[in-house]
Amino acid sequence: MSHAVLLTPATVMIALFMLAPIALAAYLSFTDWDGLSPNPQSVGWDNYAQLLRDSDVGHAAVVTLIVTVVGTLTCNIAGLGLALLLNGPGRLNGVLRAVVFYPYVIGPIIIGFLWSAILGANGAIAHVLGNAGHSPLPFLSDPTWAVGSIVAVVVWSQFGVNVVLYLAGLQTVPPALHEAARVDGAGRWQTFRSVTWPMLAPSVTVNLVLVLVGLLRVYEIVLALTNGGPAGRTNTFAFLILSESFRTNHLGYGAAQAITLMVVIAALALGLTALRRRAEDAVSA
Amino acid sequence: MFSQPTKSLKALAATCAAATALLLTACSSSGGGFQESGDTGSTTSASLRLLVNITPVLTKEFYQDLVKPYTDAHPGITVTIEAPTGSDVSATLQQQLAAGSAPDLVSGSLGRDTVPQLAALPEEQWVKDAPYAEQSRVGGVMWQAGSGNQVQSIVYYNKAAFTKAGITAPPKSLDEFTAALVKLKGAGFVPTQTAGEWVTGAQVQMMGNVNVLGPTPDWFTRRNTGGVSFADSPWRKVLDTYQSWIEQGLTPRDAMGLKYQDAMDQFAAGKSATFIMGGWYIPTAKDGVGVFAMPTVDGSPAPVAGNPSIPWSVTKSSKNRAAAVDLLKFLVTDKDAVTKELKAEGNFRKGFEYDATPLNKEVAAIVSAAPATVVASNGQGDNSAPTGFNDEFNKLVQGLYLDQKPEGVLKSIDSWYTSNAK
C-alpha cells in the first residue's frame, strides 16, 4: 500500500503530462481534425495510408535520415576526438572545454539565424568571397548545399555536449589500465583501441542515442536557417509536421505523422541500445 | 509477493485512462474548448481581449494607443492587447480555441476554416462600408471588416537605375517588363529583387492575381468547384515569364538563400532595380524610389489587387459580443482610429485622407486610375483558396529555381488545390 501511495504523485504527473497527450495524439491521428471544429470525424487508417503515399513525407524522411546518420556520426567522432585532446589537467583545457560546450547552450533558433547571416547569399562568407573576386557559394540556395549546411550547423551546435559526455566517460577509465597497457608496451593507438574504447562503451551508447533522438526531431535550426527551402527541399520530418500539416489545418494528419515519428524514434533508440548492450556487458565483465 | 506490483499497475492504468478521458472530454464537449456561441453581454461593462498581428510597425503600443480613445470614452470597458504566442495569429487563435480561451476580437489573416468559430457581423451599413467586409462573406455572412485597403501587385523601382538603363516609361505588359529587366541587367543592376522564405511565391502571386482575377474576379470560387485550373489560365503565361527571368539571370539564382530583410536591404542599397511588393513596403522605401502598376499579359491597365488592412473579427465564443462589435465599429469607422491605422502601413481608404509621402501619393494615383479592385493573395471569403495555399504555392514556385518547368509546377498546384478544396 505504501508503495502505491509513494508512486501516486509521479504516476499522476506521468499520466497527465506524458501518457495522456500521447493517447490524445494517437486518437486524433485517426480523425480528420482541423484544429477548429469541435467534433472530429473518424477516418480510420486513412491518415497513415496517406503518409505512405505522400511524396513530401518521403522526401522529408530522406532529409531526416541524412541529417541523422551524418550528424550522429560526425557529432560522436568530433566529440570523442576533442574529448581525447582535452582530457587532461591545465587551465587552457578548462577554457577550451567551456568554449566547445558554448554553442550547446545557445538556443537553436538563435543559432539558425546566426548561421543564416553567415551562410546566406548576402551573408558574411559571400561578402568575403565577393571582395576576393569570387562568386558566392550556394550554401542555402542549392538543395544539396542547404542540406549539408543544416548538417554542419546542427553538428556545430550539438557536439559540445558529446565532448562533455565523453570527457566524463574518460574520467571513469581506471588509470591503472592505461598504466598496465604502457608496461605491456602498447602504443597510443593500441591503448585507445584495446583499453579506452571498450571502457567507453556506456558513454558511446548514451552519446549515440542522445544525438540520434535529437537529430530525428530537428526543427528550430531548419526553421531559422532555410525555412524548409528552397522549394521544400530541406524539410525534415519534424519541420514538415509543424510547417505543413499544422499550417494547413490538417491536424489529424499531423498527429499521424507525429505518432509515426515517435514510434520510429522509440524503435531506433531501443534497437541501438540493444545493439550496444553486448559492448557494455563486456565492460561490466 | 506479486500482489503489490499488480495493484500499482492497475492504479497506473486507471489514472492514465482517467486523465486521457478527461482531456478528450475537455477537447470534445461543447462546454470545453470549443463553444458554439457566447453571450451578447453589455456594451458598457466588459473586459475585452484582442489578439492582434504584431509587426515592426504594428506594435503592441500602437494597438494600445489605437483603442485608448475608446476606453477613455467607455470607462466600463477594459482592453487587453495580446500578441500571437504561436507562429502567427491564425495558429494562436487555433490554440486558444482548443484551450477554451479564445479572445473577443481577432485581427489577422484567417482562412475560411476559421469562419465557423467567428460571429456574423451585423448587416448594417457601417459594416458593408468597411473595406472587404462584403468580399469576406462565407455562406452569405460577413465575418471580417478591414480598416483600409492594403494594395498589392505594385512594382517599386529605382529611378536612377531606370534612367541609366534608358527606360523612359514604366512597362505596361509582361513582355515589356522583361525587356526592361534585360536593359537594367545591361546597365549593371540586379534587374528584379526576390528572396526565399515567403517572398518568391508572394511576388509571383502579385504578378498573377491582376492577370487572373482581373478578367475573372471570382476565379477562386470557380477553381474551388473545378471550373477552371491553373494550368489552363493566365497563370501559365505568368510562370513562363518568371521562368524566363530565372533563365536569363534577370532574378538571381542564389536568391533562395536570401531573407525578406536581405531583399529589402539590396533594393534600398540600389543594387537591384525593381522590387515587386505590397503597399506595406512604402514606409520602408527610401528617396529615389518610384512605383508602377503590375504589368499585365496584354498590356491593358491592371486592376488593384488588395487585402483588408488590419481586418477585425469577433469570436463566436466571446462572452462580451456586444461590446466587441461596438469596439470593432469604432476601429473601422472612427476617423482618427482609421487614419492612424492607414498611416502606419501606408494604406488607403476612400474618405480618409492623411499627410502622405510622395511615394504614397504615387500608389494612391495607381489605385485611383485602376479599372477595378480584385482580392489579392489567396482571395477573400467564398472566393478564396484553401488554407495553406500560399505556403504550398510558394514552395512549388520555388521549384522554378531548381529547373522545374512551369507546366509541372502548375500541375502540382492544381493537384494540391483539388485535394484540399472544400
Side-chain angles (χ1 to χ4, degrees):
Chain A
M1 184 61 195
S2 60
H3 283 105
V5 171
L6 290 171
L7 281 171
T8 300
T11 307
V12 169
M13 297 293 268
I14 290 170
L16 269 178
F17 296 111
M18 292 181 73
L19 299 177
I22 292 171
L24 186 60
Y27 158 72
L28 290 172
S29 73
F30 292 100
T31 71
D32 64 352
W33 194 43
D34 61 3
L36 293 164
S37 57
N39 299 310
Q41 301 299 308
S42 171
V43 294
W45 289 91
D46 284 3
N47 287 331
Y48 290 93
Q50 190 186 338
L51 253 169
L52 299 174
R53 295 192 303 267
D54 193 334
S55 60
D56 287 344
V57 168
H59 184 80
V62 171
V63 172
T64 308
L65 186 71
I66 293 169
V67 171
T68 304
V69 172
V70 179
T72 302
L73 291 175
T74 313
C75 275
N76 278 277
I77 292 168
L80 178 57
L82 262 177
L84 288 168
L85 288 173
L86 300 177
N87 183 34
R91 188 173 291 175
L92 183 62
N93 272 358
V95 172
L96 288 176
R97 284 177 202 170
V99 169
V100 166
F101 189 67
Y102 185 65
Y104 189 74
V105 300
I106 307 175
I109 287 280
I110 296 169
I111 286 174
F113 280 116
L114 174 75
W115 279 97
S116 75
I118 295 171
L119 300 174
N122 199 28
I125 294 179
H127 275 120
V128 170
L129 289 172
N131 290 337
H134 299 289
S135 301
L137 294 169
F139 288 113
L140 304 180
S141 54
D142 177 86
T144 308
W145 280 76
V147 171
S149 298
I150 288 173
V151 173
V153 172
V154 164
V155 168
W156 181 84
S157 67
Q158 290 273 324
F159 88 106
V161 77
N162 301 108
V163 173
V164 171
L165 290 172
Y166 278 121
L167 275 169
L170 287 169
Q171 311 286 317
T172 65
V173 181
L177 290 179
H178 281 139
E179 187 62 31
R182 261 198 301 276
V183 169
D184 288 346
R188 280 190 170 191
W189 169 244
Q190 279 178 309
T191 305
F192 172 76
R193 201 185 62 179
S194 305
V195 178
T196 312
W197 176 249
M199 293 301 291
L200 280 178
S203 299
V204 173
T205 305
V206 169
N207 275 289
L208 284 175
V209 172
L210 278 181
V211 178
L212 181 91
V213 171
L215 297 195
L216 281 169
R217 296 182 297 140
V218 162
Y219 169 74
E220 297 96 329
I221 285 178
V222 178
L223 175 73
L225 193 63
T226 65
N227 200 25
R233 298 297 181 87
T234 56
N235 280 345
T236 57
F237 205 86
F239 185 81
L240 186 77
I241 294 170
L242 287 158
S243 70
E244 300 211 356
S245 301
F246 280 62
R247 205 177 281 170
T248 53
N249 288 354
H250 293 158
L251 268 75
Y253 184 47
Q257 290 173 308
I259 291 291
T260 304
L261 180 62
M262 188 191 73
V263 169
V264 168
I265 288 174
L268 286 175
L270 290 172
L272 192 59
T273 308
L275 280 174
R276 294 286 310 159
R277 189 158 296 148
R278 189 190 293 176
E280 291 180 32
D281 288 346
V283 178
S284 306
Chain B
M1 186 175 175
F2 294 104
S3 60
Q4 195 61 52
T6 308
K7 277 183 184 173
S8 298
L9 283 173
K10 279 182 181 172
L12 176 68
T15 310
C16 291
T20 307
L22 187 72
L23 277 175
L24 291 175
T25 307
C27 289
S28 62
S29 74
S30 59
F34 296 94
Q35 294 176 20
E36 288 304 313
S37 62
D39 300 328
T40 302
S42 160
T43 55
T44 54
S45 174
S47 182
L48 298 174
R49 289 168 52 220
L50 274 62
L51 174 62
V52 297
N53 183 33
I54 298 289
T55 72
V57 174
L58 305 177
T59 61
K60 210 167 178 178
E61 290 71 31
F62 167 83
Y63 288 104
Q64 282 163 347
D65 288 347
L66 190 67
V67 299
K68 192 172 184 304
Y70 182 84
T71 50
D72 287 347
H74 299 77
I77 304 287
T78 57
V79 173
T80 308
I81 305 295
E82 294 181 3
T85 52
S87 57
D88 54 26
V89 168
S90 180
T92 305
L93 179 64
Q94 201 174 52
Q95 292 163 2
Q96 293 182 335
L97 283 165
S101 62
D104 300 285
L105 276 144
V106 57
S107 171
S109 178
L110 304 174
R112 255 185 305 154
D113 295 353
T114 317
V115 175
Q117 306 301 327
L118 302 171
L121 296 180
E123 291 288 334
E124 294 174 12
Q125 199 56 44
W126 67 266
V127 180
K128 294 176 183 175
D129 289 344
Y132 296 94
E134 287 284 0
Q135 287 94 329
S136 81
R137 286 184 190 275
V138 172
V141 167
M142 292 183 291
W143 57 276
Q144 192 176 53
S147 313
N149 182 3
Q150 188 171 65
V151 178
Q152 295 191 19
S153 297
I154 47 182
V155 185
Y156 299 92
Y157 70 98
N158 179 334
K159 289 178 178 173
F162 269 49
T163 304
K164 190 177 175 189
I167 302 166
T168 52
K172 297 272 191 277
S173 69
L174 285 180
D175 290 339
E176 286 177 21
F177 196 6
T178 303
L181 295 180
V182 171
K183 285 184 185 174
L184 289 162
K185 186 182 179 188
F189 295 92
V190 171
T192 190
Q193 186 63 54
T194 187
E197 297 186 310
W198 54 271
V199 180
T200 332
Q203 288 182 324
V204 176
Q205 276 184 306
M206 289 180 206
M207 291 172 67
N209 278 342
V210 293
N211 285 296
V212 175
L213 295 167
T216 317
D218 62 344
W219 195 86
F220 284 117
T221 306
R222 295 187 190 200
R223 182 62 191 84
N224 288 338
T225 55
V228 292
S229 71
F230 284 85
D232 297 319
S233 70
W235 279 111
R236 179 60 196 266
K237 170 68 179 173
V238 171
L239 258 65
D240 282 342
T241 302
Y242 197 77
Q243 189 202 26
S244 78
W245 292 1
I246 297 169
E247 285 175 351
Q248 296 176 70
L250 304 179
T251 177
R253 268 197 175 266
D254 64 357
M256 295 302 97
L258 294 175
K259 295 188 182 297
Y260 176 52
Q261 186 63 48
D262 294 325
M264 289 197 294
D265 291 345
Q266 294 280 80
F267 183 64
K271 291 178 182 171
S272 42
T274 63
F275 189 36
I276 299 168
M277 198 39 65
W280 57 84
Y281 179 70
I282 296 171
T284 320
K286 299 201 168 171
D287 291 343
V289 170
V291 65
F292 57 87
M294 176 59 66
T296 54
V297 170
D298 59 4
S300 59
V304 173
N307 266 341
S309 63
I310 318 186
W312 294 99
S313 300
V314 175
T315 56
K316 198 179 268 184
S317 58
S318 170
K319 298 269 191 285
N320 309 296
R321 211 188 296 171
V325 171
D326 198 52
L327 176 56
L328 188 152
K329 182 179 181 181
F330 166 82
L331 290 166
V332 302
T333 59
D334 181 81
K335 195 102 182 167
D336 290 340
V338 171
T339 306
K340 189 177 172 69
E341 293 171 89
L342 297 177
K343 197 171 180 180
E345 288 196 303
N347 294 319
F348 303 94
R349 184 167 170 185
K350 203 172 177 182
F352 294 84
E353 308 300 331
Y354 59 92
D355 185 21
T357 64
L359 186 62
N360 217 328
K361 287 175 181 167
E362 281 189 58
V363 177
I366 291 172
V367 173
S368 300
T373 299
V374 296
V375 291
S377 189
N378 58 336
Q380 289 283 314
D382 287 322
N383 187 27
S384 65
T387 303
F389 170 73
N390 286 352
D391 292 321
E392 188 68 15
F393 184 88
N394 181 51
K395 184 181 82 179
L396 294 169
V397 162
Q398 286 187 354
L400 294 174
Y401 282 86
L402 308 179
D403 297 327
Q404 289 180 10
K405 300 296 175 205
E407 56 267 34
V409 170
L410 290 169
K411 194 178 167 189
S412 297
I413 295 171
D414 271 320
S415 172
W416 180 91
Y417 204 109
T418 302
S419 304
N420 289 273
K422 291 178 183 171

